[in-house]
Amino acid sequence: MNATPSLRAAIYARYSTDKQKDTSVEDQIRLCRRMCEQNGWQVTEVFTDHALSGKNALRPGYQRLIRAAECGQIDIIVAESQNRLSRDMADSATLLKRMSYFGVRLHTAAENELDDMKVGVSGLVSTMFLRDLAQKTRRGLEGRVARGKSAGGICYGYRVKREILPDGTLSTGDREIEPEESAVIQRIFQDYADGLSARTIAAALNSEGVPGPQSGKGTGVWNPSTISGNIKRGTGILNNELYIGRLVWNRLTYDTNPDTGKRLSRLNPPDDWKIEEVPQLRILDDQLWHAVKTRQGEVRQAMNPAGVLTERPRLERARRPTYLLSGLLRCACCGASYTLINKTRYGCAGARNKGAAVCTNRATIGREEVEDRVLSGLKQRLLAPDLLAQFAEEYRKAFNEAAAGACQERQKAEASLKKVDGKIAGILKAIEDGMYHASLKAKMTELEEEKARLKALIKESPEPPALRLHSSLSQRYREMVEDLARSLNAPEVKREAMAELRALISQVRMVPDADAPGGHQLELVGELAGIMALGGLESKKPPLFAEAGSETMVAGAGFEPATFRL
């Protein structure tokens, strides 16, 4: 009589991330092998998953187990408990249904052979356990945030701070500023505020070998996305409010896609955010933070100038201007941009792209000629006698304001020193009159120390000298203005110079005129017009281009002041 062949058993073991160790898998396998020996089952395969949650059915070892069962390679699946196989009710029911179809039984050390009732009850318990665990974890994290502690990992710029508590345990959730990383953060914000892109900043940091964030999925190499992140979600170096001493929690909610098993995030309403002030963790001042926020807004506006929410922003629209007046030139006939039609000449984009029905202006002008005429007019106005006098007056005011502050501190110190000398003289007089007391010695020592401190302060704050404007000051001003074109295009200041110039000039209107140099009259519009008007006659706005709240000046042939031309 032939003996009944033993059942082929496959063992499955898993541990998640909740404070379990890799040895947990070994313990589970040992328990399952003992159960197989007791029942006479032959262990043919062992499948494991390490540090993976039972909520996710897309575990590598779990999927291999199912494929082995479907291929008829095993007769029974053995695990420590049902929640090792799955913590999801739907997945547990599906597993039992599929294994029943392929003739594979499910056995656990805790529940023995699984059936519909055991799977249903155990799945319900697991689901309730996970929900209760999530609520308790969330409550604990919210309490940490309320105490200004970390509710998760430590972001770039900080390090874990450990202190021994009165009960002998170590503190958790505390952090402090990491000086070297803090300096990198300040550099990133300053570079971005100065006009550098996230891509340029990342490339510079990598070329210098500056280590990047390594926590989580960080590789230690700087990427543009590491710096720019997502402004709405508060991700990225430039959007981390912790750098200005604000701890923001519950901005995002995380959930798992049941189809893909991937963990996704959703943005919570701002009313649900938890915000705590943690001034001890501030790295940046408000001025630099707001400068970066302002520039981010300008970049977003450039990417989507119409503000259409349904239109996907286009990064190429936010490219920085290549030349000094790029993007500022406008056709006076149709309002379209003047763009480079070749390497050296500007022309109306409306006429070129939309035809004569939209614009008939086919005149072109050299790029360098436009820049030279604008800067020449600017130089002429800035060298006017009235502006030279105003420059000297503003310099005098700034000097006097700085000197007044130093003088005030010196005067306070001198007054305090006079009082201290009086107190010392009084003590000496009392000693001479035979009124010595031991406490007078301590008081005398204290006064002598204060006297020494005040004398040192006065020595470090000498009397401010009388303001004398050097005879070469006006000449230096002239040299700087005369060399304006070279100064504005110097590589080390070009980025800042272009930004400042664009803040003063809203546009340069190109008026086609066959009799004018280069076939164009130039009209400057913006705050720069008001500044330049200080050095010339009263401005006269051309009626066609007059705008409320702005000064308009014309840069034409010869820049005749009578017509307010530059």
Side-chain angles (χ1 to χ4, degrees):
M1 184 174 181
N2 295 331
T4 303
S6 60
L7 296 176
R8 298 167 298 170
I11 295 175
Y12 179 77
R14 174 190 64 82
Y15 79 94
S16 59
T17 56
D18 13 86
K19 297 182 180 180
Q20 293 181 316
K21 299 180 180 179
D22 198 49
T23 54
S24 172
V25 169
E26 299 176 3
D27 295 338
Q28 294 175 48
I29 295 174
R30 183 169 56 254
L31 176 63
C32 292
R33 284 190 182 277
R34 186 183 306 124
M35 186 171 62
C36 290
E37 292 175 0
Q38 293 173 351
N39 289 277
W41 302 331
Q42 179 186 0
V43 178
T44 57
E45 294 188 69
V46 175
F47 301 91
T48 62
D49 283 308
H50 301 257
L52 292 174
S53 172
K55 292 178 61 178
N56 181 11
L58 300 179
R59 290 162 272 150
Y62 182 73
Q63 292 297 322
R64 290 197 302 270
L65 170 69
I66 293 176
R67 286 196 296 271
E70 293 175 349
C71 293
Q73 299 174 2
I74 55 178
D75 303 312
I76 189 169
I77 295 175
V78 182
E80 179 190 37
S81 61
Q82 180 187 328
N83 58 35
R84 295 298 179 184
L85 292 168
S86 177
R87 282 193 177 274
D88 185 84
M89 286 184 61
D91 288 341
S92 296
T94 300
L95 176 64
L96 178 62
K97 187 176 182 178
R98 295 183 67 183
M99 293 303 100
S100 297
Y101 175 78
F102 289 104
V104 178
R105 296 154 54 188
L106 299 177
H107 268 261
T108 67
E111 298 95 356
N112 294 318
E113 185 169 1
L114 298 180
D115 55 25
D116 290 337
M117 181 174 293
K118 289 180 179 179
V119 167
V121 173
S122 181
L124 178 61
V125 171
S126 294
T127 300
M128 293 176 63
F129 167 78
L130 289 176
R131 186 171 299 171
D132 183 60
L133 179 64
Q135 291 176 349
K136 290 180 179 178
T137 302
R138 180 179 179 81
R139 185 178 67 241
L141 293 177
E142 187 172 355
R144 275 195 173 192
V145 172
R147 297 192 299 273
K149 294 178 177 288
S150 171
I154 302 297
C155 64
Y156 188 82
Y158 303 93
R159 62 191 178 196
V160 176
K161 180 182 179 181
R162 297 291 191 188
E163 292 182 343
I164 300 178
L165 301 177
D167 60 0
T169 61
L170 290 176
S171 62
T172 59
D174 292 325
R175 52 191 159 188
E176 61 185 358
I177 296 174
E178 210 292 321
E180 292 185 4
E181 294 181 358
S182 170
V184 176
I185 290 169
Q186 292 175 338
R187 168 185 171 179
I188 290 173
F189 271 78
Q190 189 62 60
D191 285 349
Y192 190 85
D194 288 343
L196 293 181
S197 67
R199 186 184 303 277
T200 302
I201 296 172
L205 292 172
N206 288 329
S207 65
E208 296 173 19
V210 178
Q214 296 184 357
S215 60
K217 297 182 180 179
T219 61
V221 177
W222 291 97
N223 293 310
S225 59
T226 306
I227 296 173
S228 58
N230 186 305
I231 191 169
K232 290 185 177 180
R233 292 172 174 263
T235 60
I237 296 288
L238 296 177
N239 305 310
N240 191 343
E241 294 187 51
L242 190 59
Y243 298 147
I244 55 170
R246 298 181 75 232
L247 176 58
V248 182
W249 180 74
N250 199 41
R251 192 194 299 263
L252 303 175
T253 295
Y254 294 88
D255 204 353
T256 302
N257 187 316
D259 296 325
T260 64
K262 292 184 178 180
R263 193 166 180 254
L264 304 175
S265 62
R266 295 186 178 91
L267 186 65
N268 292 331
D271 292 341
D272 294 342
W273 299 358
K274 306 297 181 184
I275 302 176
E276 293 292 332
E277 299 295 330
V278 283
Q280 72 276 12
L281 298 180
R282 175 185 281 269
I283 292 177
L284 305 169
D285 57 52
D286 289 335
Q287 182 178 0
L288 182 55
W289 173 266
H290 290 310
V292 167
K293 296 296 109 179
T294 299
R295 182 158 180 270
Q296 285 180 318
E298 294 172 352
V299 171
R300 289 197 305 276
Q301 175 63 24
M303 292 167 63
N304 187 12
V308 181
L309 298 180
T310 57
E311 181 183 358
R312 183 177 180 86
R314 296 171 58 184
L315 185 60
E316 62 270 19
R317 288 177 175 165
R319 289 183 298 181
R320 286 158 189 75
T322 304
Y323 301 108
L324 195 61
L325 300 177
S326 296
L328 296 178
L329 307 182
R330 292 288 185 273
C331 176
C333 300
C334 67
S337 297
Y338 254 52
T339 58
L340 285 173
I341 61 175
N342 54 40
K343 293 183 179 180
T344 61
R345 300 188 70 80
Y346 283 115
C348 176
R352 291 180 57 80
N353 299 331
K354 300 179 181 179
V358 174
C359 185
T360 58
N361 177 17
R362 305 292 295 187
T364 65
I365 187 171
R367 176 184 63 82
E368 293 184 356
E369 180 178 352
V370 175
E371 293 179 0
D372 288 344
R373 287 175 61 181
V374 170
L375 294 179
S376 295
L378 177 59
K379 286 191 292 185
Q380 182 179 359
R381 289 294 175 183
L382 292 180
L383 288 175
D386 290 348
L387 272 184
L388 284 172
Q390 183 158 343
F391 169 76
E393 176 62 17
E394 292 298 325
Y395 182 87
R396 185 189 64 79
K397 288 180 180 179
F399 181 91
N400 288 341
E401 287 177 3
C407 184
Q408 188 176 12
E409 291 295 326
R410 179 186 175 89
Q411 290 174 353
K412 288 182 179 179
E414 289 176 342
S416 298
L417 180 60
K418 187 175 181 180
K419 291 180 180 179
V420 170
D421 284 335
K423 292 179 180 180
I424 292 175
I427 292 176
L428 293 176
K429 182 67 169 61
I431 294 174
E432 291 176 357
D433 294 342
M435 300 174 60
Y436 175 78
H437 190 274
S439 61
L440 294 178
K441 181 178 180 181
K443 185 64 176 176
M444 179 65 81
T445 301
E446 180 182 340
L447 291 173
E448 289 291 348
E449 291 177 353
E450 178 66 8
K451 180 177 180 179
R453 186 188 70 82
L454 292 172
K455 283 187 174 182
L457 179 60
I458 294 172
K459 184 177 180 181
E460 294 174 359
S461 305
E463 287 283 359
L467 173 61
R468 294 184 179 86
L469 293 180
H470 196 275
S471 58
S472 65
L473 184 62
S474 297
Q475 181 59 32
R476 177 56 179 157
Y477 174 83
R478 288 179 177 275
E479 291 174 357
M480 293 173 65
V481 173
E482 288 288 355
D483 207 15
L484 189 62
R486 187 197 63 80
S487 299
L488 291 180
N489 286 288
E492 62 272 16
V493 299
K494 181 178 180 180
R495 185 176 65 251
E496 293 83 353
M498 292 175 70
E500 295 299 330
L501 188 62
R502 287 164 187 280
L504 297 174
I505 299 178
S506 60
Q507 62 178 261
V508 179
R509 287 175 174 151
M510 310 297 292
V511 183
D513 184 348
D515 297 329
H520 288 81
Q521 296 275 359
L522 309 184
E523 297 179 352
L524 272 62
V525 179
E527 294 182 21
L528 185 61
I531 296 174
M532 295 168 69
L534 295 172
L537 300 178
E538 182 179 357
S539 65
K540 298 179 180 179
K541 296 182 181 180
L544 180 63
F545 297 109
E547 294 182 1
S550 69
E551 292 284 340
T552 303
M553 294 180 301
V554 180
F559 307 109
E560 297 88 351
T563 59
F564 205 64
R565 293 175 177 174
L566 298 179

